[in-house]
Amino acid sequence: MSVQKMIELVGVRKSFGKVEVLKDITLNVARGSVVALIGPSGSGKSTLLRSVNLLTVPDQGFIRVGEQALDFTRGHRLPGDRELSAFRARTGMVFQTFNLFPHMSVEENVMAGPVKVLRMPKADARTLAHELLAKVGLADKATARPDTLSGGQRQRVAIARALAMKPEVMLFDEATSALDPELVGEVLAVIRSLAAEGMTMLLVTHEMAFARDVADRVVFMRDGCVVEEGPARQVIETPSQPATRAFLSHFHNGLGPS
Amino acid sequence: MQYQWDFGFLLQYKGLIGVGVLYTLAFTIGTAVSGLVVGCMIALARLSNMRVATAVVTGVIEIFRCTPVLVQLVWVYYALPILTGIELSPSVAAFITLTLYGASFFGEIIRGGIISVDMGQWDAGRALGMRRHQLMGDVILPQAFRRMVPPLVNQTVLQLKNTSLLSVLAVPDLLYQGQLITSASYRPLETYTMIAVIYFIILFPLTRFAHRLEARMSH
Ligand SMILES: Nc1ncnc2c1ncn2[C@@H]1O[C@H](COP(=O)(O)OP(=O)(O)OP(=O)(O)O)[C@@H](O)[C@H]1O
Ligand SMILES: [Mg+2]
């Protein structure tokens, strides 16, 4: 294997009630690469992303992240709380709505994972939190309350909080969709710098120009299926499938030259 | 009306009244605490995805919510021993009843507080790898608790009022002592007026406190 796979999904299926939201998805993310997940609303992008860290437990399929693998094919025992938690602790996730803990200060948010989950001494966790806050440009906000921050600042805290677990991969679910346009750039800049450091990332995004410029590969989903997958520039600029073309035609004004 | 008010005679009964106040407060505080503990377990059982536990607990809650406390008290004291063969003292019967009655309401308040916390908070805690109990203790309950306090205080006020029903089992609470004093002094007007005033003096600050908390939470 020339490129090592960091995330590997094989035959993943998920239904909510009678609706099959993920239909036999197979997806790989190479170590150190960035994969962007695009597609229309309701196509199952979030569900797929949430399957990677088991926030949504699939009905069927095989999921591996780094060294950890879980098999959901029929006949396998469902993982318990302990296994699920251990699995999730190795991945970082950033949500559209930030989901910072409102009753904790910024630094406490970042310390929460290391202190509670990794049992890191508080002093060490605080040092780590300050390093990470500096990294996302918020060194001066350590003691602030989340509700005093702008959306862009909150999302950067959320990224720092996820990084504090020293994750093997980072998952982003429309990390900039809830932001005012002028705040999008500061968050994308942080994601870009993580990509430059070689962080393995899977991100759901509606920022096509960003996907084209930062992602190595782009995956287009529709109705719970992967319709097209390939090098980022190729999928976004010269898609081969009509469905991909139709979807991307909505974005052309946002796709200026890079 | 020619009635001659005279509260002076009540002084000679201050010992009895003191005991009554003590019983009323002790039962209120005791069953509020035990009710909260049981209520917490009820809330967690109802939030769990164990179908049987949820169904049983929901059934018990409905029984306690949809029958009068007075009936529950009498049933636990007079009827339950026939089923179990264990005699209960009036105080124990009263304590059990008020605990379960309070718990069925406390439990719903706690459950409501927990489910009012944004689903994104659960996601965020889980994504960090928190175990269920850590998520509950460090993320969900601290946020839910703020919203639960005003209704919990209100329910405790009701709990205190309900202790007056203990008099039917001859538990020497405030009202029961009033009945004793009345039968000895033949002065129900002053006696029961004083009893009402004492309840009011205890409860008025508590309800004001609940109102203030509610006002503070709502903005
Ligand atoms: N917890 C859930 N329970 C029931 N249905 C769900 C649940 N989560 C998602 N769905 C349904 O699954 C389908 C796919 O949802 P998903 O959120 O994965 O789509 P998406 O591609 O992320 O869409 P969007 O771009 O709007 O975020 C939708 O029809 C949605 O209503
Ligand atoms: Mg989504």
Side-chain angles (χ1 to χ4, degrees):
Chain A
M1 203 159 42
S2 56
V3 199
Q4 205 192 339
K5 294 179 211 164
M6 186 62 141
I7 302 176
E8 190 180 0
L9 273 62
V10 183
V12 171
R13 290 177 181 274
K14 178 70 188 180
S15 300
F16 291 113
K18 289 203 162 54
V19 190
E20 190 164 41
V21 176
L22 297 180
K23 302 169 182 163
D24 195 14
I25 301 274
T26 293
L27 181 79
N28 295 309
V29 179
R31 184 181 292 275
S33 77
V34 179
V35 172
L37 212 50
I38 64 171
S41 183
S43 56
K45 306 180 297 293
S46 297
T47 308
L48 179 58
L49 198 71
R50 293 165 63 89
S51 302
V52 174
N53 67 348
L54 304 176
L55 281 187
T56 298
V57 177
D59 300 331
Q60 272 203 61
F62 171 82
I63 294 180
R64 182 175 65 75
V65 175
E67 310 272 273
Q68 313 186 90
L70 283 172
D71 201 335
F72 297 89
T73 40
R74 239 187 284 282
H76 281 75
R77 195 180 50 84
L78 282 177
D81 185 47
R82 177 189 298 271
E83 274 172 282
L84 288 175
S85 306
F87 196 98
R88 292 172 184 144
R90 309 285 294 275
T91 64
M93 188 168 207
V94 175
F95 305 89
Q96 183 174 349
T97 49
F98 326 131
N99 301 346
L100 292 182
F101 303 133
H103 57 300
M104 300 182 191
S105 69
V106 163
E107 65 180 3
E108 284 166 348
N109 265 275
V110 182
M111 291 160 65
V115 170
K116 310 289 181 202
V117 179
L118 305 177
R119 310 246 168 251
M120 186 187 283
K122 273 210 168 138
D124 298 356
R126 183 164 287 123
T127 310
L128 173 66
H130 289 189
E131 274 168 30
L132 290 168
L133 287 172
K135 183 183 168 114
V136 299
L138 293 170
D140 54 331
K141 296 291 186 190
T143 56
R145 289 269 140 188
D147 58 10
T148 64
L149 303 183
S150 74
Q153 291 171 327
R154 285 184 211 190
Q155 195 59 300
R156 286 185 281 150
V157 174
I159 294 173
R161 177 176 67 177
L163 291 173
M165 293 298 289
K166 303 255 187 270
E168 298 180 284
V169 306
M170 284 285 282
L171 310 170
F172 292 84
D173 193 356
E174 298 194 36
T176 58
S177 292
L179 297 178
D180 293 336
E182 74 272 18
L183 302 177
V184 169
E186 63 191 58
V187 172
L188 292 185
V190 172
I191 300 176
R192 220 181 268 269
S193 73
L194 288 175
E197 288 171 19
M199 174 66 80
T200 308
M201 296 194 278
L202 181 57
L203 40 97
V204 175
T205 184
H206 287 301
E207 303 276 341
M208 294 305 144
F210 180 75
R212 179 192 60 195
D213 299 341
V214 175
D216 300 294
R217 297 180 73 79
V218 167
V219 174
F220 172 69
M221 278 184 78
R222 201 185 67 167
D223 296 335
C225 299
V226 172
V227 175
E228 180 165 359
E229 202 219 317
R233 187 164 290 273
Q234 180 190 311
V235 173
I236 289 190
E237 290 180 351
T238 56
S240 65
Q241 299 294 319
T244 319
R245 236 172 281 146
F247 172 73
L248 286 167
S249 68
H250 300 301
F251 290 92
H252 273 315
N253 43 5
L255 269 179
S258 55
Chain B
M1 208 168 95
Q2 296 305 306
Y3 192 83
Q4 293 291 310
W5 289 84
D6 171 22
F7 284 97
F9 80 94
L10 286 166
L11 269 178
Q12 70 191 89
Y13 295 111
K14 60 180 188 295
L16 276 182
I17 297 166
V19 169
V21 170
L22 219 66
Y23 263 83
T24 293
L25 287 179
F27 264 95
T28 305
I29 295 167
T31 61
V33 170
S34 61
L36 272 175
V37 171
V38 178
C40 253
M41 297 193 289
I42 288 176
L44 294 179
R46 289 204 63 189
L47 289 168
S48 76
N49 33 26
M50 296 176 288
R51 290 243 179 85
V52 180
T54 310
V56 169
V57 166
T58 308
V60 171
I61 286 177
E62 289 306 330
I63 291 171
F64 276 92
R65 282 160 69 103
C66 301
T67 52
V69 198
L70 186 52
V71 173
Q72 294 164 16
L73 276 170
V74 171
W75 194 88
V76 169
Y77 184 58
Y78 294 105
L80 187 62
I82 301 174
L83 273 183
T84 61
I86 304 166
E87 289 285 326
L88 299 174
S89 74
S91 287
V92 170
F95 187 83
I96 292 173
T97 310
L98 283 186
T99 295
L100 294 179
Y101 174 80
S104 63
F105 286 90
F106 287 136
E108 285 305 279
I109 294 169
I110 294 168
R111 190 178 80 98
I114 289 173
I115 60 181
S116 76
V117 175
D118 180 36
M119 283 307 287
Q121 295 291 308
W122 297 80
D123 281 346
R126 287 200 184 109
L128 287 174
M130 287 186 181
R131 298 288 303 277
R132 228 184 320 237
H133 60 273
Q134 294 171 324
L135 184 57
M136 201 42 105
D138 295 321
V139 176
I140 305 301
L141 282 181
Q143 296 182 58
F145 191 68
R146 290 174 47 94
R147 286 168 233 187
M148 292 172 346
V149 169
L152 287 178
V153 173
N154 280 328
Q155 187 59 40
T156 306
V157 168
L158 291 179
Q159 189 83 340
L160 194 147
K161 291 182 185 168
N162 284 333
T163 58
S164 64
L165 297 169
L166 302 189
S167 55
V168 299
L169 301 186
V171 174
D173 78 314
L174 191 50
L175 181 59
Y176 183 79
Q177 303 297 70
Q179 290 165 355
L180 282 188
I181 296 167
T182 303
S183 56
S185 66
Y186 302 105
R187 297 197 78 95
L189 183 55
E190 287 88 347
T191 309
Y192 289 135
T193 303
M194 177 208 59
I195 298 289
V197 167
I198 294 177
Y199 276 115
F200 183 84
I201 290 171
I202 300 173
L203 285 175
F204 186 67
L206 205 54
T207 53
R208 299 305 305 173
F209 175 63
H211 277 301
R212 282 240 301 281
L213 279 178
E214 252 161 27
R216 231 193 16 224
M217 300 289 163
S218 66
H219 61 249

